[in-house]
Amino acid sequence: MSNSKKIKNKKIIGREEKVMKTVFYALITIFALICLFPFLLLISSSFMNEKEILTEGYKLIPSQISFSAYKFLGSNMTKLANAYKTTITIAVGGTLLGLFLMSMGGYVLCRNDFKFRNQISFFIYFTTLFSGGLIPSYILMVNGLGLKDSLWALILPGLMSPWSIFLMRNFMKSIPDSLYESAAIDGAGDFRIYWKIFMPLSKPSLATIGLFLTLGYWNEWYNAMLYIQSTNKYPLQFFLQKIVTQANVQLLVQQGLSINTADLPSESIKMATAVAAIGPIILVYPFVQKYFVSGLTIGAVKG
């Protein structure tokens, strides 16, 4: 093939690549806007007047901006602050403790010199197929462990995940055995090797699992409904759910408040509570985004 033909083919390939990139970028931009639209609608609807919502429905640009929903949330500022405090406590504590326990489990199961790794892996996998059910779990938490109205009742159920343990195991399998062997020759024990070598190299997997754990604890409300009685221990999602269900005239009258029923933010309060719930946690994702894809895929190349 002559040089002129090679140059011509390169130009054609270059044009095709530019066209494909332009098309792909355009499709990704459209898809991103589609995903962003409900979030923008959520925020704008939280500032809408109740009359406008009832007559015209939810709109991206409200005709009149109203802060009645956020004022309604602000009237419970002390309880809202306690709910944030509870959620942050269980999210941070549960995530750190869960990462520590599941990374240790993954480290043990990835070691070829551990005799019972296959048997223990089977027992962990078995829990994904069968569970004890609600009543045995409730009896265990309340009667067995005595965790009624305790924050540990919110932390312990989400502490361990079979999927996350296997993800850690598969990721740690990709770490060369020569690192373990050289550290063992130098006299390092198993825990020191785990803490000093495997943990720093497992940052992508830890970030991925940590994000899942944090989201799980941040969205916690079901266990709070079962086990938590004190209002000052309500997590954020359960507290906001209470706010939404109690946003009615009868409750406000019982509290000695005088309010116009047309101004009661029964619809916009739903949007405001959603904004209050997802606002802080959405800021966490950018910090772990660079680890997210590698944490899910690198450990998957080995079985």
Side-chain angles (χ1 to χ4, degrees), residues 22-38:
T22 303
V23 172
F24 288 149
Y25 285 142
L27 292 176
I28 291 173
T29 302
I30 294 172
F31 181 74
L33 292 175
I34 292 174
C35 294
L36 188 61
F37 177 77

Side-chain angles (χ1 to χ4, degrees), residues 246-255 257 259-262 264:
Q246 292 176 357
N248 53 67
V249 180
Q250 290 80 8
L251 180 65
L252 295 175
V253 171
Q254 290 173 6
Q255 293 176 348
L257 299 177
I259 188 168
N260 186 359
T261 56
L264 182 65

Side-chain angles (χ1 to χ4, degrees), residues 18-273:
K18 289 181 180 179
V19 172
M20 292 299 294
K21 284 183 178 181
T22 303
V23 172
F24 288 149
Y25 285 142
L27 292 176
I28 291 173
T29 302
I30 294 172
F31 181 74
L33 292 175
I34 292 174
C35 294
L36 188 61
F37 177 77
F39 183 69
L40 296 177
L41 183 64
L42 175 71
I43 295 176
S44 64
S45 299
S46 67
F47 291 101
M48 289 181 66
N49 185 278
E50 191 70 14
K51 293 180 181 179
E52 187 177 359
I53 294 178
L54 295 176
T55 56
E56 302 180 22
Y58 299 108
K59 296 191 301 183
L60 192 61
I61 302 177
S63 303
Q64 183 180 359
I65 296 178
S66 172
F67 296 93
S68 57
Y70 290 97
K71 289 180 181 178
F72 186 82
L73 284 178
S75 64
N76 297 277
M77 187 58 67
T78 302
K79 294 181 180 180
L80 183 62
N82 287 333
Y84 266 110
K85 181 180 177 181
T86 300
T87 297
I88 292 173
T89 300
I90 64 174
V92 174
T95 299
L96 293 178
L97 187 57
L99 286 176
F100 180 65
L101 294 176
M102 286 190 285
S103 61
M104 283 200 300
Y107 171 75
V108 170
L109 295 177
C110 81
R111 299 305 312 149
N112 293 325
D113 52 356
F114 179 52
K115 183 178 179 181
F116 302 104
R117 65 184 185 279
N118 292 330
Q119 291 84 344
I120 293 179
S121 296
F122 171 76
F123 282 118
I124 295 174
Y125 172 73
F126 188 80
T127 62
T128 64
L129 304 176
F130 302 96
S131 65
L134 177 59
I135 295 177
S137 299
Y138 186 86
I139 294 174
L140 173 64
M141 296 293 289
V142 176
N143 297 336
L145 300 178
L147 297 179
K148 185 71 172 179
D149 203 31
S150 172
L151 293 184
W152 284 106
L154 306 180
I155 295 176
L156 292 181
L159 201 59
M160 303 285 283
S161 167
W163 183 86
S164 298
I165 294 174
F166 289 136
L167 178 63
M168 286 299 307
R169 181 199 66 177
N170 292 340
F171 188 90
M172 288 184 174
K173 275 186 177 182
S174 64
I175 299 175
D177 290 334
S178 57
L179 293 175
Y180 176 87
E181 294 169 358
S182 60
I185 292 174
D186 291 337
D190 280 319
F191 186 81
R192 188 176 182 84
I193 295 173
Y194 151 78
W195 188 256
K196 294 292 186 179
I197 297 178
F198 279 76
M199 286 291 279
L201 294 175
S202 301
K203 286 181 180 179
S205 185
L206 291 171
T208 302
I209 296 173
L211 177 63
F212 291 150
L213 278 173
T214 304
L215 288 175
Y217 284 118
W218 190 268
N219 293 323
E220 174 60 58
W221 70 272
Y222 183 73
N223 290 317
M225 179 184 67
L226 294 176
Y227 305 118
I228 301 300
Q229 294 177 325
S230 302
T231 56
N232 62 339
K233 294 182 180 179
Y234 284 170
L236 180 64
Q237 302 292 346
F238 187 58
F239 172 74
L240 294 178
Q241 187 262 345
K242 288 283 187 181
I243 288 290
V244 172
T245 56
Q246 292 176 357
N248 53 67
V249 180
Q250 290 80 8
L251 180 65
L252 295 175
V253 171
Q254 290 173 6
Q255 293 176 348
L257 299 177
S258 177
I259 188 168
N260 186 359
T261 56
D263 295 330
L264 182 65
S266 58
E267 292 298 324
S268 58
I269 189 67
K270 299 176 183 178
M271 303 301 171
T273 53

